[in-house]
């Protein structure tokens, strides 16, 4: 019994090791960090990859409703998919649902499940697909809006052949 418990504990630790993130509290402005000025860290052939992403969800925003700019409450923004990841890369969120409540500071992590190899060298454009849920929308009540954040990329570099 002790052997089974130890095996299950070790399996949980190794599976969870790639999937942990902690919001970086140096960021205080709503949005995604690192931002596009900094970008995502490069990945290197033969080395594991782990990129922490901090998500600060605002509590409200201004939207155009029937030709008028109105303030609405952000209930949550959900990360519904990440496409364009290199082969053997994945993502996870904290919270695990990838639902970020309005007014929260949460995180996600992009990671490699297997170290990148030479066939993956190059730039991989990443698209974060989201759905925002807003309430207190005049004349409508609640609304959803899908969005695609398509200006991030991961570059895989083979530093064993570079000069």
């Amino acid at each position: 019994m002790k052997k089974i418990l130890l095996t299950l504990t070790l399996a949980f630790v190794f599976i969870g090791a790639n999937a942990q993130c902690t919001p970086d509290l140096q960021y205080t402005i709503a949005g995604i960090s690192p931002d596009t000025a900094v970008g995502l860290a490069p990945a290197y052939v033969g080395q594991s990859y782990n990129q922490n992403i901090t998500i600060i969800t605002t509590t409200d925003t201004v939207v155009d409703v029937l030709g008028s700019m109105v303030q609405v409450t952000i209930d949550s923004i959900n990360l519904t998919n990440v496409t364009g990841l290199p082969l053997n890369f994945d993502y996870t969120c904290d919270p695990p649902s990838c639902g970020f409540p309005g007014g929260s500071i949460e995180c996600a992590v992009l990671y490699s499940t297997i170290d990148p190899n030479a066939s993956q060298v190059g730039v991989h454009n990443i698209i974060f697909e989201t759905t925002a849920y807003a309430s207190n929308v005049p004349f409508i009540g609640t609304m959803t809006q899908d969005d695609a954040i398509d200006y991030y990329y991961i570059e895989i570099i083979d530093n064993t052949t570079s000069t």
Side-chain angles (χ1 to χ4, degrees):
M1 180 65 181
K2 287 182 182 180
K3 192 173 189 178
I4 292 172
L5 183 57
L6 177 62
T7 302
L8 289 174
T9 301
L10 288 175
F12 177 74
V13 168
F14 286 117
I15 290 169
N18 286 334
Q20 297 176 347
C21 64
T22 302
D24 188 337
L25 300 180
Q26 74 173 327
Y27 301 112
T28 58
I29 298 173
I32 300 172
S33 299
D35 60 17
T36 55
V38 173
L40 300 174
Y44 295 94
V45 169
Q47 298 178 20
S48 64
Y49 184 81
N50 193 308
Q51 171 70 61
N52 195 65
I53 299 170
T54 299
I55 298 114
I56 301 176
T57 308
T58 187
T59 56
D60 57 24
T61 192
V62 176
V63 296
D64 183 348
V65 176
L66 304 172
S68 296
M69 301 305 285
V70 296
Q71 187 167 339
V72 299
T73 302
I74 300 296
D75 296 323
S76 67
I77 297 178
N78 290 358
L79 177 62
T80 56
N81 198 18
V82 179
T83 60
L85 288 171
L87 184 65
N88 299 317
F89 279 55
D90 205 352
Y91 72 97
T92 191
C93 305
D94 186 14
S97 66
C98 294
F100 309 110
S104 68
I105 300 175
E106 308 288 351
C107 60
V109 63
L110 301 177
Y111 62 94
S112 58
T113 57
I114 298 174
D115 295 349
N117 61 52
S119 70
Q120 295 172 287
V121 169
V123 175
H124 301 264
N125 293 318
I126 310 299
I127 300 172
F128 297 95
E129 299 172 16
T130 64
T131 301
Y133 298 89
S135 59
N136 298 327
V137 183
F139 310 111
I140 297 173
T142 60
M143 65 182 282
T144 62
Q145 179 176 334
D146 294 329
D147 193 18
I149 303 164
D150 61 359
Y151 38 79
Y152 282 94
Y153 64 89
I154 295 174
E155 182 177 10
I156 298 179
I157 300 169
D158 187 349
N159 60 357
T160 61
T161 60
S162 300
T163 55

